[in-house]
Amino acid sequence: KALKTAGNVLWAVLRALPDIFSAPPEEPTGKNAPGLVALGDAGVVGALKGCTIQAVRDGTTLQASELAAGPGAKVLLFATHFGDFNSWEVAQQLRTALSARRLGAGTTRAAIVGIGTPEAGRKFAELLELPEDLPLYADPKGACHAALGFSNGALPEYREELNPYLRVFLMLLGVGSPGTIRTVLSGYFGNGALSKERTAWVDEALKQGAAQGRFPTKVPQRLPWEEKKSPGEDEWVDLATAGSAVWDGRGFGES
């Protein structure tokens, strides 16, 4: 059985290699999005019935379907586990959008549902300094994510046989998630095609993290190939003050 599993994993990797640096596939994002179509007539509200979640801040429980029900526009973010950097970045983007009142001029309701315990959710909110009025819920077993048909990652049929870290590595290679590496690299090297509005969260996230003491708190003002500054001038800058501006116009690290 182990030999067969190894062979299947190797074959999945080989099939993914030709598209390892391809762009993520483009799919509709409106009402005809494949994920919404798959939910059928019941939609998101119907799919979430029976999924119990717990408010991180006061411990109250409710049906996840209640978040999606009722009139008015809503932004419901179903994050992965609270320690995942993807969850952090999504929450950081939402925090910036809320502070700038970009969600329907402040009239759109927003909420985050993450996988994990309420205790983990409280730590998540504390570290990111999320607004107190932003509803945050814990879904310990990922019931909402399963009900909505979210991806189970690379090779879910081998979740019992394969180490979770190996499955994450395979996902980065594009197994079950084509275009992942290209998307990840754009986060490190920047995407000049994005507007300042769409990247404002990066600056705020850098400042907020540095102010809380998360590494790095100081960064060099010059890149290795740039000339040294005047003698005696401090070559390091406080990231909590400078934010992403320290790299602006220098062709590297721009958002």
Side-chain angles (χ1 to χ4, degrees):
K1 183 178 179 180
L3 186 61
K4 181 180 179 181
T5 299
N8 290 338
V9 170
L10 179 60
W11 176 238
V13 172
L14 291 176
R15 283 185 298 167
L17 286 179
D19 298 322
I20 192 169
F21 291 111
S22 299
E26 294 186 7
E27 295 181 339
T29 57
K31 292 183 178 180
N32 60 335
L36 290 178
V37 173
L39 296 179
D41 295 337
V44 173
V45 175
L48 291 176
K49 286 182 177 178
C51 296
T52 302
I53 55 178
Q54 188 172 3
V56 162
R57 293 188 173 91
D58 62 17
T60 58
T61 60
L62 73 157
Q63 294 294 303
S65 57
E66 295 178 36
L67 298 178
K74 307 168 191 68
V75 175
L76 303 181
L77 299 179
F78 291 89
T80 56
H81 64 82
F82 288 118
D84 185 359
F85 71 88
N86 289 295
S87 299
W88 280 50
E89 291 182 355
V90 167
Q92 287 165 332
Q93 292 180 58
L94 179 59
R95 186 186 61 200
T96 299
L98 289 171
S99 65
R101 297 180 64 83
R102 290 207 299 268
L103 298 184
T107 60
T108 300
R109 292 163 48 201
I112 299 177
V113 179
I115 299 176
T117 63
E119 292 77 17
R122 283 192 286 273
K123 190 66 175 178
F124 177 76
E126 174 191 337
L127 291 174
L128 294 179
E129 297 180 305
L130 298 180
E132 287 290 333
D133 58 354
L134 172 61
L136 178 61
Y137 300 94
D139 180 6
K141 301 295 184 182
C144 295
H145 302 66
L148 293 172
F150 291 165
S151 170
N152 289 312
L155 305 177
E157 63 271 30
Y158 298 112
R159 62 164 61 91
E160 300 298 329
E161 293 92 342
L162 296 179
N163 183 289
Y165 292 105
L166 174 59
R167 291 183 61 214
V168 170
F169 177 71
L170 294 175
M171 179 270 295
L172 290 173
L173 289 180
V175 177
S177 57
T180 297
I181 284 186
R182 182 165 173 174
T183 302
V184 169
L185 289 177
S186 71
Y188 286 102
F189 292 97
N191 185 347
L194 297 178
S195 67
K196 285 291 184 181
E197 182 180 85
R198 293 185 63 184
T199 60
W201 71 273
V202 177
D203 183 64
E204 290 194 16
L206 289 172
K207 291 178 178 177
Q208 188 270 336
Q212 280 216 347
R214 290 197 294 273
F215 178 83
T217 56
K218 289 184 178 292
V219 294
Q221 294 201 55
R222 68 179 184 89
L223 298 173
W225 53 85
E226 295 177 336
E227 292 184 6
K228 289 188 176 181
K229 295 187 176 291
S230 304
E233 187 174 356
D234 191 359
E235 291 196 12
W236 292 83
V237 63
D238 186 352
L239 192 58
T241 302
S244 61
V246 70
W247 294 293
D248 281 355
R250 299 165 72 181
F252 181 84
E254 295 176 89
S255 301

